Amino acid sequence: MISKDTIVALATPSGAGAIAVIRLSGKSAIYIAEKQFKSVSGKLLTKQKTHTIHLGHIIDNDIVLDEVLVSLFKNPNSYTGEDVVEISCHGSNYIQQEIIQLFLRKGCRMANAGEFTLRAFLNGKLDLSQAEAVADLIASDNAASHQIAMQQMRGGFSSEIAKLREELLNFASLIELELDFAEEDVEFADRTQFKDLVARITFVLKRLIDSFAVGNVIKNGIPVAIVGEPNVGKSTLLNALLNEERAIVSEIAGTTRDTIEDEISIGGIGFRFIDTAGIRETKDIVESIGIKKTFEKIEQSQVTIYLFDAKKNIDNLKAVSVEIEKIKNKYPQKPLLVIANKIDQLNDIQLTKIKKYITDILLLSAKTGLGVEQLTDALLNLINTGALRNNETIVTNSRHYDALLKAFEEIQKVKEGLETGLSGDLLAIDIRQALYHFGEITGEITNDDLLGNIFANFCIGK
């Protein structure tokens, strides 16, 4: 599947800027670049050492297109494992397109989405999980998702899987060897050691599978629905969290008639807050549609914040408790944070009354910002970031998660087979299947369709 032609693409975002980088990769990359580049020192690119930078001009016949810096990376010491040339030019759209079109006329082909990284994988510079982490790194928009992508790109996840696969492969070889000496009834694979290995693999797989629940929300952002009756301060709270006037605020109940969403980073974790229409009985058709959407957003959210007006409900806390129980019963698996808003209008006796009546209550004034920091701390406490702090491997890719589940299923069959004294030939079948699913993650086992699906999601210049 490795293509021998030379590809070219813009490696920086499209549009005008201070500089742009145009990347070439392939057997003829340096030769093609040399023909269109005139060094100020008169040097030939093909004669220069790898990892060097050269000042000169890109020439189209006798026309100077731009003054550029050309960086050389000779195989195999390059990102793709091929000869790579990176041309840093001025960021004019016109200049970018003129240079790319010039190289297309001189023998290059326009790179497909993710083709540079695909070549890096096919040339053994990255395994498949590391290649996928490149896309995650580009897409990371908070500290946590960046940290996870960096760890995976450096091979943290790959090395853990590779180690398990190697140990399992060693035992698989011994089991297979036993099959060749079936008539002699000998055992080359120590069953006790094998049980210990299976137990260790089971433990690691379960940890990795469980980490996906955290990893998935960290990667995609954690949706948080802010719900409650009209005019309790939901939009004011959203504005306080975002530190900007994102939602319209007024004294008129029902001002928010549609959901408003925005995302911020709290402690390196991305949270996507959803301000919803107030929940109440109404004959207004438009408002009714907004309320319907509120319940849809609660369904889609990972966390729900229920907000009530502390001043208005100080003598009606029983009704508030009933509403809280309704939400808890309807969404029992969803974390719920209950907030008493507008506490700046209450005295100490009233605040004590609320805390006694409703357990685990957060006291807050969205208008003044009092208690907002306690809310953000509570949100972070809902997310298990211990793995991040300990630099443990966290699974964020659904393809990896699916392969881990399948590998876990096969390992459980191996475990049961060992406990029941299953014959070596049947054990070998389950072991081979587990090895297959391990190989799917790192790319030892793959196919063109899978690679096409993965790299189609990359940007063109990567």
Side-chain angles (χ1 to χ4, degrees):
M1 187 178 176
I2 298 179
S3 180
K4 299 298 183 182
D5 53 357
T6 298
I7 55 176
V8 63
L10 182 67
T12 45
S14 59
I19 62 168
V21 177
I22 295 167
R23 177 181 290 148
L24 290 77
S25 181
K27 186 177 180 180
S28 303
I30 298 175
Y31 175 78
I32 292 173
E34 180 183 77
K35 295 299 181 183
Q36 313 310 136
F37 176 71
K38 186 175 182 180
S39 169
V40 294
S41 63
K43 296 178 180 177
L44 296 175
L45 291 181
T46 51
K47 302 296 183 183
Q48 305 312 305
K49 293 181 180 179
T50 186
H51 292 71
T52 55
I53 300 175
H54 307 275
L55 175 65
H57 299 87
I58 295 293
I59 309 292
D60 183 6
N61 293 323
D62 294 326
I63 301 173
V64 176
L65 294 182
D66 196 17
E67 183 178 58
V68 301
L69 285 173
V70 172
S71 303
L72 294 183
F73 305 93
K74 295 188 175 181
N75 74 87
N77 300 312
S78 70
Y79 178 70
T80 63
E82 304 172 329
D83 286 341
V84 172
V85 176
E86 292 187 349
I87 301 168
S88 300
C89 63
H90 291 96
S92 154
N93 276 320
Y94 173 77
I95 292 172
Q96 295 171 31
Q97 291 307 312
E98 285 296 303
I99 293 175
I100 290 173
Q101 291 301 318
L102 172 62
F103 286 120
L104 291 175
R105 292 196 302 270
K106 298 301 179 179
C108 290
R109 170 177 63 78
M110 197 69 189
N112 296 319
E115 191 169 359
F116 291 99
T117 305
L118 173 60
R119 291 188 176 201
F121 164 68
L122 294 174
N123 289 317
K125 305 298 290 186
L126 300 168
D127 67 31
L128 196 53
S129 66
Q130 288 175 298
E132 289 169 295
V134 172
D136 290 341
L137 185 64
I138 293 171
S140 63
D141 55 7
N142 58 66
S145 58
H146 172 265
Q147 181 182 337
I148 292 171
M150 281 298 297
Q151 186 207 36
Q152 292 192 2
M153 200 172 77
R154 289 197 299 262
F157 179 45
S158 301
S159 59
E160 196 159 5
I161 292 298
K163 184 179 178 183
L164 294 178
R165 191 171 189 270
E166 182 181 359
E167 291 186 73
L168 187 59
L169 190 59
N170 289 338
F171 269 96
S173 301
L174 294 175
I175 295 288
E176 298 280 0
L177 187 61
E178 288 179 4
L179 300 180
D180 293 336
F181 293 88
E183 294 181 2
E184 282 79 1
D185 194 26
V186 294
E187 283 190 359
F188 293 103
D190 187 308
R191 294 308 193 260
T192 302
Q193 289 184 11
F194 195 23
K195 285 181 181 179
D196 292 340
L197 172 63
V198 169
R200 191 164 72 255
I201 291 175
T202 300
F203 175 80
V204 173
L205 286 178
K206 193 172 187 310
R207 175 173 59 77
L208 292 173
I209 289 168
D210 290 344
S211 75
F212 182 72
V214 175
N216 193 42
V217 293
I218 288 174
K219 178 180 176 180
N220 299 311
I222 301 160
V224 182
I226 306 173
V227 303
E229 292 183 346
N231 210 28
V232 297
K234 297 187 296 297
S235 298
T236 305
L237 176 59
L238 177 66
N239 290 339
L241 288 164
L242 299 173
N243 201 27
E244 65 171 293
E245 296 299 313
R246 176 69 174 84
I248 299 173
V249 176
S250 81
E251 296 297 324
I252 303 171
T255 299
T256 302
R257 297 192 170 204
D258 200 354
T259 58
I260 300 171
E261 300 186 26
D262 216 329
E263 187 168 334
I264 60 170
S265 178
I266 301 173
I269 307 294
F271 287 86
R272 191 169 72 254
F273 290 98
I274 309 161
D275 177 22
T276 63
I279 302 172
R280 67 170 179 175
E281 295 293 330
T282 180
K283 294 181 179 179
D284 187 302
I285 296 175
V286 176
E287 190 179 353
S288 297
I289 295 171
I291 294 170
K292 182 181 178 182
K293 284 189 175 182
T294 293
F295 287 104
E296 290 175 359
K297 290 299 179 181
I298 294 176
E299 291 279 1
Q300 297 166 13
S301 68
Q302 294 283 339
V303 179
T304 303
I305 293 176
Y306 178 76
L307 201 68
F308 70 92
D309 187 330
K311 178 68 175 177
K312 179 182 176 181
N313 290 282
I314 189 63
D315 296 319
N316 195 27
L317 294 176
K318 184 176 181 180
V320 173
S321 297
V322 170
E323 289 301 314
I324 293 169
E325 289 303 313
K326 282 182 181 178
I327 295 175
K328 285 182 177 179
N329 292 334
K330 191 169 184 179
Y331 309 102
Q333 303 302 322
K334 203 177 295 292
L336 175 67
L337 294 177
V338 180
I339 298 176
N341 189 28
K342 306 183 182 181
I343 62 165
D344 54 309
Q345 301 176 25
L346 302 182
N347 57 41
D348 290 342
I349 295 174
Q350 291 172 318
L351 292 176
T352 301
K353 180 181 177 181
I354 292 174
K355 287 190 284 187
K356 282 185 176 179
Y357 204 94
I358 303 174
T359 58
D360 299 323
I361 188 80
L362 289 171
L363 303 178
L364 184 142
S365 171
K367 186 175 182 179
T368 66
L370 180 65
V372 172
E373 186 175 344
Q374 285 72 26
L375 171 58
T376 57
D377 288 343
L379 287 167
L380 283 176
N381 288 336
L382 292 175
I383 309 303
N384 177 21
T385 56
L388 278 174
R389 290 192 293 270
N390 298 329
N391 204 31
E392 292 179 3
T393 300
I394 295 179
V395 177
T396 61
N397 187 301
S398 57
R399 188 184 71 82
H400 299 167
Y401 177 67
D402 182 60
L404 288 168
L405 285 175
K406 290 175 180 175
F408 183 80
E409 183 180 341
E410 296 303 329
I411 288 296
Q412 290 303 106
K413 292 179 183 178
V414 173
K415 182 181 177 182
E416 292 170 8
L418 286 170
E419 291 171 351
T420 57
L422 197 66
S423 62
D425 56 337
L426 296 177
L427 273 178
I429 294 172
D430 295 330
I431 295 171
R432 286 192 209 107
Q433 282 299 110
L435 287 168
Y436 176 86
H437 296 305
F438 280 136
E440 280 186 315
I441 295 172
T442 55
E444 280 97 343
I445 311 277
T446 188
N447 58 61
D448 290 355
D449 288 339
L450 172 64
L451 295 180
N453 288 335
I454 290 173
F455 289 100
N457 296 317
F458 277 62
C459 50
I460 296 293
K462 197 64 181 177

